[in-house]
Amino acid sequence: MGCLDEGHFNGELENGVSIGCGEVGFEEEGNTDTAAIEDAVKVLLLGLGEDINREGLRKTPLRVAKALREGTRGYRQKVKDIVEGALFPEAGLDNNRIGHAGGAGGLVIVHDLDLYSYCESCLLPFQVKCHVGYVPSGQRVVGLSKLSRVADVFAKRLQEPQRLADEVCSALHQGIKPAGVAVILHCTHIHFPDIESIFLESYQQGWVKTLVSSGSGVFEHKNADVWADFFCLLKFSCIDIEKFRLRGSFDQRWCPSLSSLSTKVSSKIGPINPVMVAAVSSILNCLGEDSVRKELAGTPSRFVKWLLNFQSIDMNVKLNGSLCGGIDTLNINREVNFNDKQIHSELNLPFWSQCEHHILPFYGVVHIGYFLSESYNPIGKSILQSIVHFYGFKLQVQERLTRQIAETISPLLGGHVIVVVEASHTCMISRGIEKFGSSTATVAVLGRFSTDIASRTVFLQSLSATPSGGQ
């Protein structure tokens, strides 16, 4: 699979940033492909109206190129290289006894493998919880770590869940030559929010999750007894597999970018910049993919539509909510200073944003607390949510997002504000970091909250008793 040559695309913007790749090569970082991806990322940033020379974005093209190369390293890996040398002889039961054990047919399972992959339909990363089992044959077993490494080879390619399960299953069956292989994947995809629907329609959609499976050999038939053993062991490990899908039953439209709602919303964005689309096609080819593969035909346009939600524009916040109502309060039981005051709060306001360092989504919830000064009225929840979305739908860093929200609402309320942002960053599961389940909290305090420790503590302690609005 080659990169775009001059016959495919040779675009250039007015400032001289060109896109397009040279020949395909699978050399390490610093090669021509990495440089070509950097140029393509610059095109995307310029298309968003950003200044590619501003402090937060100067190294973004290189960071994005490295992240994408790392996240698709599976194209440059071979299962044979992983499995060879990791097969070990292991005697099983002798011929005089009935049963299966050791290298003669005993079930082996490795579960809860955390992986991530890039969705081939929209280029956003999705998380994978992988469970792999196999039945050894020929008195031969494989090193357990190799099951994870083989699964990771195929996860580190542009994927969709069912094909990922099938490819892992097939590769292990060919590499180990067991009596059978079983793979179950629990995949979680970020939703596809759109700025217009968020502001005008209060659109909010949960996570897209699916369970898929693939089996070979003794696992090929869904009613085989060995599947029951597999499921029982997963349940024993507190893994819910009641809604898993067998091969062939998967909904190919699992990606939210392919849903009818997303198509309807995206149509409101208007014409898509063809230079940005060509830049994404260039990136796909430089990663080792074929951008004209039918499954990728609309991917560049869909990714650009997603990215355009975060373009740098001068947009007025639509404060279309009521100036009162919808406010929860926390009584402060203390005998000093503000014992007659209340902390007004709005908790778990959802947000979505795009990290300006890696062009990867981060998401979470915002908690806001404030004292009302005299002559000020409480702010309606819809107004606070609009402010959160306004600053979320930009290329951002979490620290700046927290400060901007606090500084915006502070003069509307009299100056005494605390803002807490809790977020999960997809850059923490990619780029070779792969710290699944991690989260980041940032705090901004203004006015009384910056000096009144007791009030700050009351608000922060209230958060631990509140169900999170995150994933």
Side-chain angles (χ1 to χ4, degrees):
M1 303 177 197
C3 291
L4 291 178
D5 55 28
E6 293 183 359
H8 288 95
F9 180 79
N10 187 12
E12 185 170 325
L13 293 184
E14 292 181 359
N15 70 349
V17 177
S18 62
I19 57 178
C21 297
E23 296 179 355
V24 151
F26 293 136
E27 301 86 1
E28 295 303 315
E29 292 173 359
N31 63 11
T32 55
D33 286 340
T34 300
I37 295 174
E38 288 185 62
D39 287 342
V41 173
K42 291 177 183 177
V43 170
L44 295 177
L45 292 173
L46 290 168
L48 294 177
E50 288 286 353
D51 176 8
I52 60 176
N53 293 313
R54 74 172 172 86
E55 184 61 34
L57 293 180
R58 287 177 186 173
K59 295 183 179 179
T60 293
L62 177 59
R63 284 189 290 253
V64 172
K66 287 183 176 180
L68 287 173
R69 291 277 294 175
E70 171 68 21
T72 57
R73 65 176 184 266
Y75 290 116
R76 305 181 291 280
Q77 295 176 318
K78 297 180 180 179
V79 171
K80 182 179 179 180
D81 295 337
I82 295 173
V83 175
E84 276 190 352
L87 293 172
F88 307 99
E90 184 62 36
L93 292 176
D94 58 45
N95 295 331
N96 296 324
R97 288 191 287 175
I98 298 174
H100 303 285
L107 180 60
V108 179
I109 293 179
V110 176
H111 58 77
D112 289 312
L113 300 173
D114 286 314
L115 309 170
Y116 82 92
S117 188
Y118 282 95
C119 175
E120 68 177 9
S121 297
C122 66
L123 286 187
L124 295 183
F126 65 93
Q127 291 180 243
V128 181
K129 185 76 73 173
C130 176
H131 317 293
V132 181
Y134 77 102
V135 177
S137 66
Q139 298 189 346
R140 179 178 55 246
V141 297
V142 68
L144 296 179
S145 66
K146 301 304 182 282
L147 298 178
S148 176
R149 291 187 61 189
V150 169
D152 192 59
V153 165
F154 294 100
K156 295 301 185 290
R157 301 178 183 184
L158 301 188
Q159 283 289 6
E160 58 89 14
Q162 188 60 66
R163 187 173 72 247
L164 175 56
D166 290 343
E167 288 181 343
V168 172
C169 181
S170 176
L172 288 174
H173 195 89
Q174 294 178 31
I176 305 173
K177 294 181 172 53
V181 175
V183 177
I184 290 182
L185 305 180
H186 185 186
C187 302
T188 305
H189 196 306
I190 193 172
H191 51 68
F192 222 74
D194 172 86
I195 191 167
E196 183 172 359
S197 61
I198 285 288
F199 275 111
L200 302 183
E201 303 170 17
S202 298
Y203 165 75
Q204 184 173 345
Q205 178 180 338
W207 289 83
V208 177
K209 298 183 178 182
T210 190
L211 280 160
V212 297
S213 69
S214 186
S216 65
V218 296
F219 288 98
E220 189 160 358
H221 300 290
K222 65 179 182 179
N223 295 322
D225 292 340
V226 70
W227 271 114
D229 295 340
F230 191 96
F231 294 154
C232 286
L233 289 172
L234 292 185
K235 286 184 176 181
F236 180 75
S237 302
C238 300
I239 299 170
D240 182 11
I241 47 81
E242 292 299 327
K243 297 181 180 180
F244 86 100
R245 302 169 186 263
L246 290 171
R247 181 165 59 182
S249 66
F250 180 65
D251 181 1
Q252 295 297 323
R253 300 179 68 83
W254 92 291
C255 175
S257 72
L258 299 175
S259 69
S260 57
L261 176 59
S262 176
T263 302
K264 175 183 176 182
V265 167
S266 297
S267 65
K268 301 177 183 179
I269 295 178
I272 301 300
N273 186 335
V275 178
M276 295 177 71
V277 174
V280 179
S281 296
S282 168
I283 290 173
L284 293 178
N285 282 276
C286 288
L287 293 176
E289 261 292 357
D290 180 2
S291 62
V292 299
R293 177 164 65 88
K294 66 176 183 178
E295 292 85 358
L296 298 177
T299 298
S301 294
R302 286 189 287 267
F303 180 73
V304 171
K305 287 178 181 178
W306 159 264
L307 207 56
L308 286 175
N309 286 308
F310 305 94
Q311 60 187 317
S312 178
I313 57 175
D314 182 15
M315 185 179 72
N316 294 321
V317 184
K318 299 177 180 290
L319 302 181
N320 55 4
S322 171
L323 289 178
C324 60
I327 302 296
D328 297 324
T329 60
L330 298 167
N331 292 321
I332 302 179
N333 298 315
R334 32 187 317 251
E335 298 179 354
V336 294
N337 292 332
F338 314 120
N339 57 358
D340 59 337
K341 296 290 186 179
Q342 288 180 319
I343 300 177
H344 296 265
S345 68
E346 280 295 348
L347 309 181
N348 290 321
L349 299 172
F351 80 92
W352 301 267
S353 194
Q354 194 87 338
C355 172
E356 70 177 32
H357 292 161
H358 303 101
I359 317 297
L360 287 170
F362 68 100
Y363 53 89
V365 291
V366 177
H367 311 294
I368 297 173
Y370 58 93
F371 284 115
L372 271 182
S373 297
E374 293 183 6
S375 75
Y376 288 85
N377 295 317
I379 292 182
K381 179 178 181 179
S382 61
I383 295 178
L384 294 175
Q385 182 69 80
S386 292
I387 292 171
V388 168
H389 285 322
F390 173 71
Y391 288 111
F393 277 95
K394 299 177 184 294
L395 295 188
Q396 273 286 15
V397 294
Q398 185 174 333
E399 297 86 347
R400 183 193 308 142
L401 171 67
T402 309
R403 173 182 59 79
Q404 289 175 332
I405 294 172
E407 290 179 345
T408 299
I409 64 176
S410 177
L412 302 177
L413 296 165
H416 312 296
V417 171
I418 181 170
V419 174
V420 177
V421 177
E422 296 181 284
S424 296
H425 292 251
T426 51
C427 65
M428 288 296 290
I429 66 169
S430 60
R431 305 189 301 117
I433 306 298
E434 303 189 30
K435 299 299 182 184
F436 295 87
S438 65
S439 62
T440 302
T442 48
V443 183
V445 289
L446 299 176
R448 293 173 180 173
F449 282 103
S450 64
T451 57
D452 183 10
I453 297 176
S455 297
R456 198 162 65 232
T457 300
V458 167
F459 179 77
L460 293 175
Q461 287 179 342
S462 74
L463 302 182
S464 63
T466 304
S468 173
Q471 179 180 345

